[in-house]
Amino acid sequence: MSELSIIAHDYALNADYARKFNDAVLVLKRRYLLGRVGNGETEETVKQSRQDLKALLGSLVAAIEDEGKPWTEDQAQVPADLLERLRKRVKGALEETVTELRGVVEDLGKDVALREPAFKALDIVCEAADETASAAFRRLRRI
Amino acid sequence: MTSLLQKLLLDLKRRAKWILGELAALENMLPGDFETHRKDAARRVTRAATWIEHTLHDPDLGDPKLEPNFFREFKRISELIVSIEDTSLLILKRCSQEDRFLTSLLAQICREVGYKDTPPLCGALSFQYFQALMETDIIMTPQGQASELLALPDLYHELAHFVVYRERPVLEVPVLTIIHKYFADAVRKGHQQGSPQSTLDAIAKNLTLWTSLWHVEFACDMVATYWCGPAYGLANLRLSATRGDPYQDSGTHPADDARRIGIECILKLAGEGGAAGGIDRMWQDLKRLSPSVQPGGYTKRYPAQLLEQVAQCVYQGCASLGFRRFSQHQSGSAIVGGAVAQAWEAFQRDAAAFPAHEAAVLQALRAKIAVE
């Protein structure tokens, strides 16, 4: 009813997406950039993180490419704030970023190792998602 | 050398430990619903503290490739700890008579409407009307809420926020799909008819407003109406009367007048066309008292057809989730729902005599709903 309820909704949605995305990227970075699993993680954790990231990223790519295409329920999984922030963040490089991210989705599906450029693109999403979650939290707490 | 992130984690660990100590000190001192919430909050803070400890021992914590990701995880955990301190701990430590009554009342509402999760904790501590705080499972109400009935339907709206968020695939996502389709069709028609760019820009702006946050408010109104019936529409009118221009909207909230249409759509779907008409007549009276002018482009911003489609979707979603519609409550079992409906009937019948009715009903409610 008050503004805070709707901001709380927005925060919960953005924080959940940011956390899940970042968690998966962290596991995969350790596996593919440092070449190991560790601190309680296993190859099964890596496999699960690949699946989680594929779902999250696939929805994101579909949502960001939506112009002129019919909207699907899959796209609605992505917070609108994140899409807006991501578009602003990459500005002129949107097409290249989307192409890179689409490639990552394909690689995640093919079970191939992710490389440095893939993580650069993934980090852009991690940062944008983190910024939207933090901004919603600040609005929620009036800080 | 200890890195900045390690220092921040150590600081967060200290804060988590303090909250756990405060929560532990309340053990065996709280009534049932509060104790359930205390245990859940302690479980979440313990999990956060475990993550902090685990991360502090992670050999890759200082690796430049991973450190920003660890920092982002730290932020989410920090937000959780701040939220629990600011809300859960605040209400648990206070646990006033009003908080206990409202929490019991809300738990009863949850039983009546078929809400399946643990009922949120309720605290009469808000400085901004009603607030649903999803991350800590709390609803804040105005301070006087334990002593009044007419605004009680708003508690249903706050509860709906939890449902719309948690049942996203059943409620929010299909609603978003409908909204996107509606405005995509409007753009296509605009192109076909050679509409000016300003018209297409206005459609794009309306789409953003609807899909950013408005759809959530509309959906919560509709779920609350499904549960609470005409009383929700009447409470909405009462609230709107205190807020001025019914056509004014903001980035977070659609216009009150548009929300009325959404509420009436649900009432009509529930076979309460008569009640919807009655509320509509009261709205016309309100508009007569406060003659605001409908701004240009208003009907395109709030298309009746779109509101009807959204209402249909929410109505079906509520039914598929097994929620009980206000008219499905078995006679006598809807203690709160019945009291709210009767309160509004009594108020409309004789507003001057209403305070006596309200006091008697609240007393009976306190007796019926065991407040420990």
Side-chain angles (χ1 to χ4, degrees), chain A residues 76-138:
Chain A
Q77 307 293 339
V78 186
D81 291 358
L82 171 59
L83 291 178
E84 196 183 329
R85 192 171 289 263
L86 203 52
R87 284 196 176 104
K88 278 184 189 159
R89 188 173 244 272
V90 294
K91 283 180 191 157
L94 183 65
E95 206 172 311
E96 294 93 313
T97 307
V98 172
T99 303
E100 184 65 49
L101 291 173
R102 203 186 304 116
V104 178
V105 176
E106 283 166 18
D107 286 349
L108 286 166
K110 285 184 216 153
D111 220 21
V112 297
L114 300 186
R115 300 188 184 281
E116 190 89 41
F119 285 109
K120 276 193 178 158
L122 289 170
D123 271 343
I124 292 172
V125 181
C126 282
E127 285 160 16
D130 176 58
E131 284 167 12
T132 52
S134 294
F137 188 75
R138 290 190 67 161

Side-chain angles (χ1 to χ4, degrees), chain B residues 319-358:
Chain B
S320 72
L321 288 167
F323 291 140
R324 276 187 287 278
R325 206 171 60 226
F326 62 96
S327 51
Q328 291 174 323
H329 298 308
Q330 287 175 349
S331 177
S333 67
I335 298 168
V336 183
V340 170
Q342 284 162 21
W344 270 101
E345 283 165 19
F347 178 73
Q348 287 179 281
R349 200 168 46 243
D350 188 350
F354 179 70
H357 171 91
E358 185 178 50

Side-chain angles (χ1 to χ4, degrees), chain A residues 9-124:
Chain A
H9 183 108
D10 199 34
Y11 167 70
L13 197 61
N14 279 291
D16 188 52
Y17 190 94
R19 186 180 48 74
K20 284 178 182 163
F21 201 99
N22 188 63
D23 282 357
V25 170
L26 182 53
V27 170
L28 299 182
K29 264 190 179 179
R30 199 199 303 263
R31 176 68 184 85
Y32 298 117
L33 294 183
L34 306 189
R36 58 177 174 264
V37 292
N39 211 24
E41 293 157 9
T42 62
E43 285 298 339
E44 193 51 41
T45 318
V46 173
K47 194 178 164 190
Q48 186 61 52
S49 296
R50 288 183 70 105
Q51 285 173 7
D52 294 345
L53 190 61
K54 185 173 179 286
L56 291 166
L57 191 59
S59 302
L60 180 90
V61 170
I64 213 157
E65 284 183 318
D66 89 284
E67 281 168 314
K69 293 179 187 170
W71 185 258
T72 66
E73 292 201 358
D74 197 30
Q75 291 166 248
Q77 307 293 339
V78 186
D81 291 358
L82 171 59
L83 291 178
E84 196 183 329
R85 192 171 289 263
L86 203 52
R87 284 196 176 104
K88 278 184 189 159
R89 188 173 244 272
V90 294
K91 283 180 191 157
L94 183 65
E95 206 172 311
E96 294 93 313
T97 307
V98 172
T99 303
E100 184 65 49
L101 291 173
R102 203 186 304 116
V104 178
V105 176
E106 283 166 18
D107 286 349
L108 286 166
K110 285 184 216 153
D111 220 21
V112 297
L114 300 186
R115 300 188 184 281
E116 190 89 41
F119 285 109
K120 276 193 178 158
L122 289 170
D123 271 343
I124 292 172

Side-chain angles (χ1 to χ4, degrees), chain B residues 68-87:
Chain B
N69 299 85
F70 280 119
F71 178 58
R72 287 177 207 121
E73 289 201 348
F74 155 80
K75 285 209 282 187
R76 298 293 87 77
I77 297 289
S78 176
E79 287 159 4
L80 171 72
I81 302 244
V82 168
S83 299
I84 287 178
E85 182 181 346
D86 283 359
T87 57

Side-chain angles (χ1 to χ4, degrees), chain A residues 1-3 5 8-9 11-13 22-23 29-30 36 39 71 76 126-127 130 134 141-142, chain B residues 54 58 60 65 69 72-73 75-76 79 128 130-132 134-135 154 158 165 168 172 252-253:
Chain A
M1 194 59 69
S2 78
E3 241 189 8
S5 299
H9 183 108
Y11 167 70
L13 197 61
N22 188 63
D23 282 357
K29 264 190 179 179
R30 199 199 303 263
R36 58 177 174 264
N39 211 24
W71 185 258
C126 282
E127 285 160 16
D130 176 58
S134 294
R141 294 276 163 252
R142 308 272 189 224
Chain B
H54 189 70
D58 194 309
D60 298 322
K65 289 190 173 83
N69 299 85
R72 287 177 207 121
E73 289 201 348
K75 285 209 282 187
R76 298 293 87 77
E79 287 159 4
Q128 275 199 6
F130 284 81
Q131 302 163 15
M134 262 73 72
E135 80 276 24
D154 290 338
E158 298 310 316
Y165 175 67
R168 206 167 178 260
E172 192 178 358
T252 59
H253 283 67

